[in-house]
């Protein structure tokens, strides 16, 4: 099938593009600048130039595709509300182009606001600042074939620039790898290539569910993550108050750990990449 991918040059999206191409699908991908467009073209994908604010570009690309995967999101936390609204508008534009057809749309969200151990059936809290999943549910009620892929907070691997590298930078700056409280709260993790495969398998199966969990390590204690970072940097590992983590305190203190049992059985998805703690032993995570 021909799949249009937003965020096609991003951390997750670029892995999705390569996985789709490797499985024999055609891919067109959104790229916002010439450098990223050239990198995308080198993979064999067709380039669609534009940004998430170019709603007509999104509609036209979605209209020309057999399926759409939306992975793009601006992770500038200083303007998260604005970015969540941009994401909502983009999802509505993509969904509007697919409405009335059987062509599926997969959108991306996270685990924040879910209870520990939640299944794919649990609905994310309405108070969640990211609106991806709520927007997908609204589209489903309007007849769009849409589902949400919930990503683990750590989508790890070589080149990771997500939440764990934020913790590594903080530990390097402050000379201690810290965890809030007793560190017993947990994060889920998934290797980047395993996460990419969830999107493809969901499309190939026909997007029969409303939510999928791209989660391999279901519950990694935060203290274990801090200890791995401490070993990697050669710094002490200690408990610290929330203030230590600054703007990242809300995330560092959160339980973001769910079950992926249903997704694994439904898609016959068997994560094969290294686990989060194994990946954190790699020296590449600590190179300056």
């Amino acid at each position: 099938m021909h799949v249009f991918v937003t965020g096609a040059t991003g951390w997750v999206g670029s892995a999705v593009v390569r996985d789709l191409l490797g499985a024999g699908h055609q891919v067109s991908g959104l790229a916002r600048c010439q450098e990223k467009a050239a990198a995308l073209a080198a993979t064999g994908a067709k380039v669609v130039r534009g940004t998430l604010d170019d709603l007509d570009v999104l509609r036209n690309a979605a209209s020309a595709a057999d399926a759409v995967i939306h992975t793009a999101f601006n992770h500038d936390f200083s303007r998260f509300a604005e970015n969540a609204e941009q994401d909502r508008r983009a999802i509505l534009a993509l969904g509007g182009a697919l409405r009335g057809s059987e062509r599926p749309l997969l959108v991306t969200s996270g685990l924040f606001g879910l209870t520990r151990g939640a299944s794919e059936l649990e609905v994310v809290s309405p108070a969640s600042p990211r609106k991806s999943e709520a927007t997908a549910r609204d589209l489903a009620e309007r007849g769009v074939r849409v589902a949400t892929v919930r990503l683990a907070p750590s989508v790890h691997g070589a080149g990771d620039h997500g939440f764990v590298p934020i913790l590594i930078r903080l530990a390097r700056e402050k000379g201690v790898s810290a965890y809030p409280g007793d560190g017993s709260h947990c994060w889920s993790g998934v290797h980047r290539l395993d996460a990419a495969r969830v999107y493809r398998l969901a499309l190939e199966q026909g997007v029969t569910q409303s939510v999928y969990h791209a989660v391999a390590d279901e519950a990694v204690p935060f203290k274990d993550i801090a200890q791995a970072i401490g070993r990697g940097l050669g710094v002490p590992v200690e408990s610290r108050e929330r203030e230590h983590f600054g703007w990242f305190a809300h995330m560092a203190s959160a339980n973001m750990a769910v079950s992926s049992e249903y997704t694994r059985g439904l898609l016959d998805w068997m994560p094969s990449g290294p686990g989060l703690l194994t990946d954190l032993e790699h020296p590449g995570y600590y190179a300056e």
Side-chain angles (χ1 to χ4, degrees), residues 61-86:
S63 295
D66 299 315
V68 176
I69 295 176
H70 175 57
T71 68
F73 190 85
N74 186 340
H75 286 92
D76 179 356
F77 289 93
S78 68
R79 43 169 295 157
F80 196 89
E82 293 94 328
N83 296 337
E85 176 59 21
Q86 179 191 53

Side-chain angles (χ1 to χ4, degrees), residues 43-66:
T43 69
K46 177 183 175 182
V47 175
V48 176
R49 286 294 299 272
T51 72
L52 290 183
D53 291 319
D54 297 321
L55 301 184
D56 285 340
V57 171
L58 298 181
R59 291 187 189 99
N60 291 337
S63 295
D66 299 315

Side-chain angles (χ1 to χ4, degrees), residues 2 24 31 34 86 92 96 107 174 215 226-227 234-235 237 258 260 263:
H2 170 208
Q34 183 57 43
Q86 179 191 53
L92 288 176
V107 307
K174 300 207 171 188
V215 166
Q227 289 173 332
V235 298
V237 180
V258 302
S260 59
T263 296

Side-chain angles (χ1 to χ4, degrees), residues 43-198:
T43 69
K46 177 183 175 182
V47 175
V48 176
R49 286 294 299 272
T51 72
L52 290 183
D53 291 319
D54 297 321
L55 301 184
D56 285 340
V57 171
L58 298 181
R59 291 187 189 99
N60 291 337
S63 295
D66 299 315
V68 176
I69 295 176
H70 175 57
T71 68
F73 190 85
N74 186 340
H75 286 92
D76 179 356
F77 289 93
S78 68
R79 43 169 295 157
F80 196 89
E82 293 94 328
N83 296 337
E85 176 59 21
Q86 179 191 53
D87 183 48
R88 187 188 70 84
R89 291 193 301 266
I91 293 171
L92 288 176
L94 295 167
L98 300 173
R99 186 177 180 183
S101 74
E102 287 298 307
R103 292 173 294 145
L105 166 63
L106 290 176
V107 307
T108 305
S109 192
L111 306 184
F112 194 84
L114 294 166
T115 59
R116 181 165 170 172
S119 76
E120 293 84 344
L121 299 179
E122 182 168 324
V123 177
V124 72
S125 168
S128 175
R130 186 163 176 172
K131 306 305 179 184
S132 315
E133 189 167 337
T135 308
R137 289 200 304 273
D138 289 344
L139 286 173
E141 292 176 359
R142 302 180 202 178
V144 179
R145 191 177 186 181
V146 58
T148 301
V149 176
R150 294 171 177 164
L151 291 175
S154 176
V155 182
H156 53 86
D160 185 356
H161 52 271
F163 291 157
V164 166
I166 290 173
L167 295 171
I168 292 172
R169 287 195 296 273
L170 185 65
R172 180 177 281 118
E173 290 167 5
K174 300 207 171 188
V176 58
S177 180
Y179 53 90
D182 65 3
S184 63
H185 62 291
C186 293
W187 280 12
S188 293
V190 65
H191 191 274
R192 174 175 172 247
L193 301 183
D194 286 326
R197 203 159 66 253
V198 169

